[in-house]
Amino acid sequence: MADDGAGPVSDGDIDAYARDGVVWLKGVFAPHWIERLAEAFERAKASPGPEAVDHAPEEGAGRFVTDLFLWRRDPEVRRFLFESPAGAIAARLMRAEAATLFFDTMWIKEPGVRKPTAWHQDQPYYPVDGDQLAVVWLPLDPVPEEVALAFVRGSHRWHRWFEPTRTTDGTRFAKATSYEPVPDIDHAPPDTYDVIRKRMDPGDCVVFHGLTLHGAPGNPQKHRRRRALSIVCLGDDAIASRRPSTRPRLADTGFTPGQPFRGPHFPRLWPRENREGDQP
């Protein structure tokens, strides 16, 4: 059964998202969704897709991995995206009439992984122009504060775009771009940046703007994984663009710069539509 609406999102949450570029919501996903996603993650890890990446092979194969577009091949992920409150939450926070799925990502950091997720913005990686780009990030495991995503409050309103680099080795996607280098958040003098983070539990989510600077440490926990699903959602003003690091590759979808994102490659999450069998 679908979870209707976005009841957990208050007017205060909408204001916080606009002001800070990030907002946390507690207990918005029922336990059955988390259980189904955990099972889907095991299937994806056993049978990786073409976009799967091992980000820390030096620490042992499969210990820090991501995989994209699970919704295209796993019915439980597809059911979650089209029946859970995720799309409605994104639309409400973006103040958008609709929320369109750009893509989903599975994140797994096994216990003891040292490699961090470096500070970055998401939107410079994507071939998307427009202000309405929100990422819904939900953990499948308890996330202590020392392992949690960290954000620079208000950085989505700096009007600055920072250089996208590969998580695996830190290399740039293009030899010459107009992007700025990412500032050294971790070694800046105290109070230079307003960094915020919160512990999270399964069922919670954090939603952040595509230009909000964020990063995460490794997973120093000895016995607990850090698994999460992120969902990139597009609002009313999002159109296709060109980026040196285009992800996903628009050439694979037939889209060209300036087009709004529509059709089976980028289905609408909210308002709900009948999606039975609707996948590219």
Side-chain angles (χ1 to χ4, degrees), residues 8-20:
V9 178
S10 67
D11 290 344
D13 294 326
I14 296 172
D15 292 341
Y17 178 83
R19 179 187 66 244
D20 300 337

Side-chain angles (χ1 to χ4, degrees), residues 110-114 146-147 217-223:
E110 298 289 353
V113 165
R114 297 183 299 276
E146 63 270 19
V147 183
N219 181 19
Q221 301 176 104
K222 293 182 178 179
H223 305 293

Side-chain angles (χ1 to χ4, degrees), residues 263-276:
H265 287 284
F266 305 107
R268 195 173 72 185
L269 298 181
W270 184 261
R272 301 193 195 283
E273 296 177 339
N274 181 8
R275 291 294 175 188
E276 189 67 30

Side-chain angles (χ1 to χ4, degrees), residues 1 10 12 36 41 46 54 60 68 94 122 127 135 148 156 172 176 191 197 219 221 226 235 251 256-257 266:
M1 178 178 293
S10 67
R36 292 176 181 179
F41 275 32
D54 190 332
L68 277 63
M94 292 189 291
D122 278 7
V135 182
H156 66 310
R172 300 166 62 187
D191 301 326
R197 71 182 80 210
N219 181 19
Q221 301 176 104
R226 201 214 70 176
T256 58
F266 305 107

